[in-house]
């Protein structure tokens, strides 16, 4: 037999299915009766070989070739949340499909809660699968309880759509998610409407939703929440420019259980949605609206007129509203107990006056007015008449309040218990003492913060009357308050139990010791932070006279306080649980005295910026640490890093700041 050698085929010529099948060639060569004609080299394209090898190596499971629609049908038939959580960690594709299944379309009607042992095993397995796949669906089935229900809090880089999908799937086996808070956004893969949709489909039990600084979420996602989470009770939106009236209208129509609504710096939310919330939410109790430029009188007036008989707390700040809104509040806010009005520059004095005389705020107990230029003495008079049950009144940055108006208000108010004044610079010493003299039988707490008009002057008023009811006095950052004012306070207020004097540079032992001696009711909490001219004499007097009742002593920044004060504290204070001697002149000897006091059971000890505390204090801090829950040794330059590390290791039950 012969061959032409030109590539022509012959009937007896053998063809091989693949040039790689060398076993076939060797078997045929053993047959001597078979002739093998000469052949040309077989040319196989490289792309074909590569594709063939890739096909042989990529051995995909049969389920992976199914389209998403088929996977949807498979996954919704899984019997329990455990299986769904495990499948969610296989890949991002599976997680996405699982998160698209609404809870009411799954075949498991009730959550199948595993035992503790099974739960731990499942979580570990899910974590391993998620890590090996690179999928961000981690073991979200782990309980994070807050106030008795499942909660999730995502911050910054953790806030992604994949993580929200994992939460939606993972919490289903534990009865469902009830509280979700998202603060900040991942700059590369931030939360979008897709993530909120997954929550809406998988968490119909959601009751509390907070979205802060999430610019990539819009109406589509929040509307899905409205249609899927009908049990929603609390909604908090802050810096969400993509959310407008459209989605908030859906919330109003579909979430009748809504009790609390907070909107801050949302530039596209306006009047229509607020009016709808007032009409459609029969359980609304709390409303707070801040810095929303599209919100005006129509929105606030419509909301309060519709829900004024329900609302108990209202907070309005930096809004473009007028006296119309305040008039409606004064007329229809019949259930309001807490009202806060801040930075309402378009409201004049007449608006506040009408609100006070509206006779609708009879149940008001707490009122805060801040940075409102329309508030003057006439407003205080009207509020006194229209709010007979007012117990807490806070005035901040009200430049037109005078001594006369404030004293008249204090005298006429029948229920006032707590008065707070901050940056009211027209208030002087006469007004301050006038309050004490005219609220002698009712005022419990008085706070004076950064009021530069209060200065030490010779007091011409009679000091016969006294404010026997006052138990708490706080004076902070009032540079004019000195020994004269402090001494008079000691005469007028003998029943003080809580004393706070912060940043008063002119206070010395000469004025403070008489005040301490006049407090017959025994002090419980004393804060002298920033009173740099107070020395051991005052601290020792406090310890001796009130050591049997004193629970908290803060003398941060009192640079003249030394070990002598700590020795007196260790001898006289039996109930002290908080001591702050930061930036004081204490040394190792003072800490030794504290550690030697067997009766002393400090829970919080602050020694920040005490350079004279050294490594020698190590055994004393160990002894004190048996009861300590918190210890601050920041900027104690005399302590070595080795000593600090050993101390942190030994005091494992105590939170140590270093």
């Amino acid at each position: 037999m012969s061959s032409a050698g030109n590539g022509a085929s012959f009937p007896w010529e053998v063809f091989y299915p693949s040039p790689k099948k060398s076993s076939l060639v060797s078997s045929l060569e053993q047959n001597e009766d078979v002739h093998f004609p000469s052949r040309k080299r077989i040319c196989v394209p490289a792309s074909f070989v590569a594709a063939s090898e890739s096909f042989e190596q990529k051995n995909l499971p049969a389920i992976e070739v199914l389209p998403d629609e088929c996977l949807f049908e498979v996954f919704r038939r899984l019997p329990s949340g455990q299986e769904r959580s495990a499948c969610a960690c296989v890949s991002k594709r599976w997680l996405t499909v699982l998160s698209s299944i609404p809870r009411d379309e799954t075949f498991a009607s009730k959550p199948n809660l595993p035992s503790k042992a099974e739960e731990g095993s499942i979580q570990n397995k899910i974590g391993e699968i998620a890590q090996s796949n690179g999928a961000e669906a981690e073991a979200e089935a782990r309980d994070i309880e807050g106030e008795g229900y499942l909660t999730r809090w995502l911050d910054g880089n953790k806030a992604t759509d994949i993580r929200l999908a994992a939460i939606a799937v993972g919490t289903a086996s534990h009865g469902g998610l009830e509280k979700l808070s998202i603060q900040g956004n991942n700059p590369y893969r931030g939360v979008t409407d897709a993530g909120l949709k997954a929550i809406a489909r998988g968490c119909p039990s959601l009751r509390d939703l907070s979205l802060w600084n999430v610019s990539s979420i819009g109406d589509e996602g929040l509307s899905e929440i409205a249609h899927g989470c009908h049990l929603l009770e609390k909604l908090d939106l802050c810096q969400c420019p993509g959310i407008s009236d459209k989605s908030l209208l859906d919330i109003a129509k579909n979430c009748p259980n809504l009790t609390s609504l907070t909107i801050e710096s949302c530039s596209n939310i306006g009047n229509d949605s607020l009016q709808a919330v007032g009409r459609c939410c029969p359980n609304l109790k709390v409303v707070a609206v801040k810095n929303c430029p599209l919100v005006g009188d129509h929105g606030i007036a419509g909301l309060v007129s519709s829900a004024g008989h329900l609302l108990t707390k209202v907070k309005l700040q930096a809004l473009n509203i007028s006296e119309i809104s305040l008039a409606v509040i004064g007329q229809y806010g019949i259930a309001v107990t807490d009202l806060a009005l801040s930075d309402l520059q378009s409201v004049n004095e007449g608006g506040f006056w009408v609100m006070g005389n509206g006779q609708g705020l009879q149940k008001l107990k707490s009122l805060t007015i801040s940075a409102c230029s329309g508030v003057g003495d006439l407003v205080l008079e009207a509020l006194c008449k229209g709010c007979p049950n007012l117990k807490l009144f806070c005035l901040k940055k009200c430049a037109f309040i005078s001594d006369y108006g404030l004293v008249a208000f204090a005298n006429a108010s029948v229920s006032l218990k707590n008065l707070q004044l901050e940056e009211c610079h027209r208030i002087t010493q006469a007004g301050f003492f006038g309050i004490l003299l005219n609220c002698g039988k009712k005022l419990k707490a008085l706070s004076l913060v950064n009021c530069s008009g209060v200065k030490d002057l010779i007091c011409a008023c009679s000091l016969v009357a006294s404010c026997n009811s006052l138990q708490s006095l706080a004076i902070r950052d009032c540079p004019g308050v000195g020994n004269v004012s402090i001494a008079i306070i000691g005469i007028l207020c003998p029943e003080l139990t809580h004393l706070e004097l912060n940043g008063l540079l002119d206070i010395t032992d000469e004025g403070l010791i008489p005040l301490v001696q006049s407090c017959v009711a025994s002090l419980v909490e004393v804060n002298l932070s920033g009173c740099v001219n107070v020395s051991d004499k005052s601290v020792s007097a406090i310890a001796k006279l009130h050591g049997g009742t004193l629970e908290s002593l803060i003398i941060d920044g009192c640079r003249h306080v030394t070990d002598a004060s700590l020795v007196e504290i260790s001898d006289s204070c039996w109930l002290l649980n908080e001591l702050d001697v930061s930036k004081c002149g204490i040394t190792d000897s003072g800490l030794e005295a504290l550690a030697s006091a067997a009766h002393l059971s400090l829970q919080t000890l602050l020694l920040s910026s005490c350079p004279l505390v050294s490594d020698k204090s190590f055994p004393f801090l160990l002894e004190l640490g048996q009861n300590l829950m918190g210890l601050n040794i920041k900027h104690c330059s005399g302590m070595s890093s080795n000593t600090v590390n050993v101390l942190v290791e030994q005091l494992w039950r105590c939170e140590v700041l270093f």
Side-chain angles (χ1 to χ4, degrees), residues 27 52 95 98 197 205 207 234 366 534 551 577 624 654:
S27 63
S52 176
L95 173 62
L98 278 161
K197 287 181 179 179
S205 59
R207 298 177 185 271
K234 182 178 179 181
S366 174
V534 170
E551 297 178 3
N577 56 54
L624 291 168
C654 175

Side-chain angles (χ1 to χ4, degrees), residues 3-25:
S3 172
N6 55 3
S9 61
F10 295 89
W12 56 82
E13 189 170 358
V14 180
F15 291 89
Y16 306 107
S18 172
K20 296 182 180 182
K21 306 286 186 174
S22 58
S23 60
L24 294 176
V25 176

Side-chain angles (χ1 to χ4, degrees), residues 616-634:
K616 294 180 180 180
S617 295
F618 176 76
F620 313 136
L621 292 176
L622 277 184
E623 181 65 27
L624 291 168
Q626 301 303 315
N627 298 311
L628 284 178
M629 301 297 293
L631 174 64
N632 188 344
I633 51 175
K634 281 186 174 182

Side-chain angles (χ1 to χ4, degrees), residues 447-451 473-482 486 498-507 512 515 525-534 553-558 580:
S447 174
L448 198 67
V449 180
N450 194 16
C451 294
L473 175 65
I475 304 177
R476 298 192 295 269
D477 300 321
C478 296
V481 175
I486 294 299
H498 295 70
L499 179 63
E500 182 178 351
L501 305 175
N502 289 359
L504 305 183
L505 305 182
D506 292 337
I507 297 294
L512 186 56
L515 170 61
E525 294 183 6
V526 176
N527 186 342
L528 303 176
S529 178
C531 295
V532 296
N533 292 313
V534 170
L553 178 60
I554 300 175
I555 46 180
D556 175 21
C558 298
D580 186 355

Side-chain angles (χ1 to χ4, degrees), residues 263-283:
I263 307 172
E264 179 179 347
S265 302
C266 294
S267 55
N268 288 312
I269 293 179
N271 296 325
D272 293 341
S273 56
L274 290 181
Q275 291 176 343
V277 168
R279 292 192 306 267
C280 303
C281 298
N283 297 301

Side-chain angles (χ1 to χ4, degrees), residues 97-210:
V97 173
L98 278 161
S99 66
S100 67
I101 304 174
R103 283 280 297 277
D104 56 0
E105 292 190 22
T106 60
F107 275 58
S109 59
K110 295 182 180 181
N112 185 15
L113 298 179
S115 65
K116 292 295 183 181
E118 292 174 343
E119 180 182 336
S121 176
I122 290 171
Q123 289 175 2
N124 292 334
K125 185 175 180 181
I126 291 175
E128 293 172 2
I129 295 174
Q131 186 175 3
S132 62
N133 275 280
E136 295 178 32
E138 57 188 31
E140 288 292 351
R142 181 175 301 173
D143 279 338
I144 301 177
E145 295 187 2
E147 301 179 5
Y149 49 76
L150 289 176
T151 69
R152 294 296 183 270
W153 183 76
L154 302 181
D155 185 17
N157 293 331
K158 294 182 180 180
T160 62
D161 285 342
I162 292 295
R163 190 171 293 270
L164 286 182
I167 289 173
V169 176
T171 57
S173 61
H174 288 250
L177 184 69
E178 293 200 25
K179 183 176 182 179
L180 175 63
S181 177
I182 304 175
Q183 298 189 11
N185 211 351
N186 188 304
Y188 304 106
R189 296 170 295 173
V191 173
T192 65
D193 291 331
L196 273 193
K197 287 181 179 179
I199 294 295
R201 287 188 288 263
C203 306
S205 59
L206 187 67
R207 298 177 185 271
D208 190 335
L209 176 62
S210 296

Side-chain angles (χ1 to χ4, degrees), residues 65-85:
V65 300
L66 294 177
D68 290 348
E69 292 79 6
C70 292
L71 287 178
F72 182 97
E73 293 299 327
V74 172
F75 290 155
R76 80 186 188 96
R77 286 169 168 78
L78 292 174
S80 71
Q82 302 174 40
E83 286 81 1
R84 286 191 290 273
S85 295

